[in-house]
Amino acid sequence: MNITILGIESSCDDTSAAVLRNNVLLSNVIASQAVHVKYGGVIPELASRAHQQNIVPVVDTALREAGIAASEVDAIAFTRGPGLVGSLLVGVSFAKGLSIARNIPLVEVNHLQGHILSHFIDLPDRELPHPGFPFLALLVSGGHTQIVRVDSPLEMEIIGTTIDDAAGEAFDKCAKVMGLPYPGGPVIDRLAKEGDPGAFRFARPRIEGLDYSFSGLKTSFLYTLRDRVAENPDFIERHKADLCASLQHTVVSILLDKLVKASKQTGIRDIAIAGGVSANSGLRDGIVAEGEKRGWRTFLPEFKFTTDNAAMIAMAGYHRYRAGLFSSLDVAPEARLEEL
């Protein structure tokens, strides 16, 4: 039996809607918000207002591109959290309204689960590689850095997490200090290709177990800039590529060291990465190299599934629909919906 899911994602600054039939993606529409660039970060009030403007045309476009009428949708999957409450509220409210108007069941989705389950989306013209269960997922985004053991689409356990800053935050904050535009991660990735990853050495955390820390690295980076700029005001401009390459190399090494440790402890060799930072070329190359060295099967998401998108929400919603996990109309968005 075919199951058609309409996914809605509005957790931060991207308004997205997607249509999935079983695990095959029929459409995935994203409206990004350029208004935040000049502020160097997402402004929650501006984000929620932009979602209000975008949600109707984005959903309408997704349905039309999929060739699906609203009456053919079996369930509406929406992001309940984590994220910005004002942004989440727009998506949750729209999903409720459409559910009432069309008598369509609701399925709430944890945004982080969506990132992980994006690895099970197929395209109309081809099947994509899927990890087997159990697998380890390194979930790396602007706000989250986690190692997750995934035993099934509905059984996930966080076995390692950051105790302070996330990897994406470290990239963005260091980029801002160098005067790079927001978001800083992609700019650092681009400049790193032109630099020497061994040019500078930054502090590495000494955290027991599988947890991460990036605040010390960030502080070390800032002190390096402060001291060098005091000696030479043109230091950042002259060494920008090397700074980016060294920063990226350090972040990737920290991420992969813990992932290797997690694989050894669990014996799991199917390894996937997910989240916005999974688009980083250094991380993608690094996990492939580690996989070849250690006999892993590695899984990299398509670039269009690394950022926030409704396709991954629809995919997670599909599995929850099959399990009969529906939401009531009194469901509310949750900014810190951390439990997987």
Side-chain angles (χ1 to χ4, degrees):
M1 181 183 73
N2 288 327
I3 299 171
T4 302
I5 305 291
L6 169 65
I8 296 174
E9 155 63 18
S10 67
S11 64
C12 191
D13 62 335
D14 288 323
T15 313
S16 182
V19 177
L20 198 76
R21 177 165 289 157
N22 298 330
N23 65 320
V24 177
L25 183 63
L26 303 183
S27 68
N28 189 31
V29 178
I30 303 174
S32 298
Q33 301 174 6
V35 65
H36 306 286
V37 173
K38 65 180 179 180
Y39 298 104
V42 177
I43 307 300
E45 176 63 23
L46 296 180
S48 60
R49 292 183 183 184
H51 283 303
Q52 291 176 14
Q53 295 173 340
N54 293 336
I55 188 71
V56 172
V58 164
V59 171
D60 179 65
T61 301
L63 290 171
R64 285 191 289 107
E65 288 188 1
I68 295 294
S71 59
E72 299 176 76
V73 172
D74 293 300
I76 303 165
F78 63 93
T79 302
R80 185 185 178 193
L84 302 175
V85 170
S87 295
L88 290 166
L89 186 60
V90 176
V92 172
S93 298
F94 182 88
K96 288 182 181 180
L98 186 58
S99 170
I100 294 170
R102 297 286 185 173
N103 194 29
I104 303 172
L106 289 172
V107 181
E108 66 184 74
V109 171
N110 183 312
H111 178 84
L112 305 182
Q113 281 191 337
H115 273 302
I116 293 170
L117 294 178
S118 66
H119 282 282
F120 295 92
I121 298 171
D122 282 331
L123 302 178
D125 59 340
R126 59 193 168 101
E127 292 186 1
L128 299 176
H130 306 316
F133 297 107
F135 68 92
L136 294 180
L138 175 61
L139 177 59
V140 200
S141 68
H144 299 88
T145 301
Q146 299 174 341
I147 300 175
V148 181
R149 177 184 172 125
V150 186
D151 290 304
S152 79
L154 300 175
E155 297 174 290
M156 303 184 190
E157 178 189 4
I158 299 171
I159 60 175
T161 188
T162 181
I163 63 173
D164 43 54
D165 286 351
E169 287 178 299
F171 278 139
D172 286 341
K173 291 176 181 178
C174 292
K176 189 172 184 178
V177 173
M178 288 190 286
L180 301 179
Y182 174 85
V187 183
I188 287 176
D189 189 17
R190 175 173 56 81
L191 290 173
K193 295 180 174 68
E194 306 167 8
D196 175 8
F200 299 96
R201 296 189 65 181
F202 303 116
R204 295 171 61 97
R206 297 181 179 178
I207 307 297
E208 295 296 324
L210 299 177
D211 287 341
Y212 288 106
S213 170
F214 290 96
S215 63
L217 166 62
K218 180 190 66 179
T219 302
S220 173
F221 185 87
L222 297 181
Y223 282 164
T224 297
L225 292 191
R226 184 196 64 181
D227 295 342
R228 298 298 182 92
V229 170
E231 300 170 0
N232 180 2
D234 296 329
F235 172 77
I236 293 178
E237 192 60 37
R238 292 177 57 186
H239 298 279
K240 193 174 289 183
D242 287 342
L243 286 166
C244 290
S246 299
L247 175 65
Q248 178 165 290
H249 175 74
T250 306
V251 170
V252 170
S253 295
I254 293 170
L255 290 170
L256 292 181
D257 284 351
K258 295 284 187 168
L259 189 58
V260 168
K261 187 174 182 178
S263 177
K264 289 179 178 179
Q265 287 186 4
T266 61
I268 296 173
R269 292 178 176 271
D270 272 23
I271 312 292
I273 56 174
V277 183
S278 67
N280 180 276
S281 63
L283 179 57
R284 295 172 81 92
D285 292 344
I287 196 170
V288 169
E290 286 290 348
E292 292 173 349
K293 180 165 62 176
R294 301 179 185 281
W296 294 348
R297 288 204 312 157
T298 54
F299 299 86
L300 311 180
E302 299 248 324
F303 284 106
K304 59 188 172 186
F305 299 142
T306 58
T307 55
D308 294 345
N309 65 90
M312 67 185 194
I313 303 304
M315 186 74 257
Y318 167 73
H319 288 289
R320 294 182 68 82
Y321 176 92
R322 292 185 61 190
L325 300 175
F326 300 107
S327 298
S328 65
L329 287 170
D330 61 0
V331 65
E334 293 284 350
R336 299 185 180 279
L337 185 66
E338 300 292 350
E339 290 299 321
L340 291 171

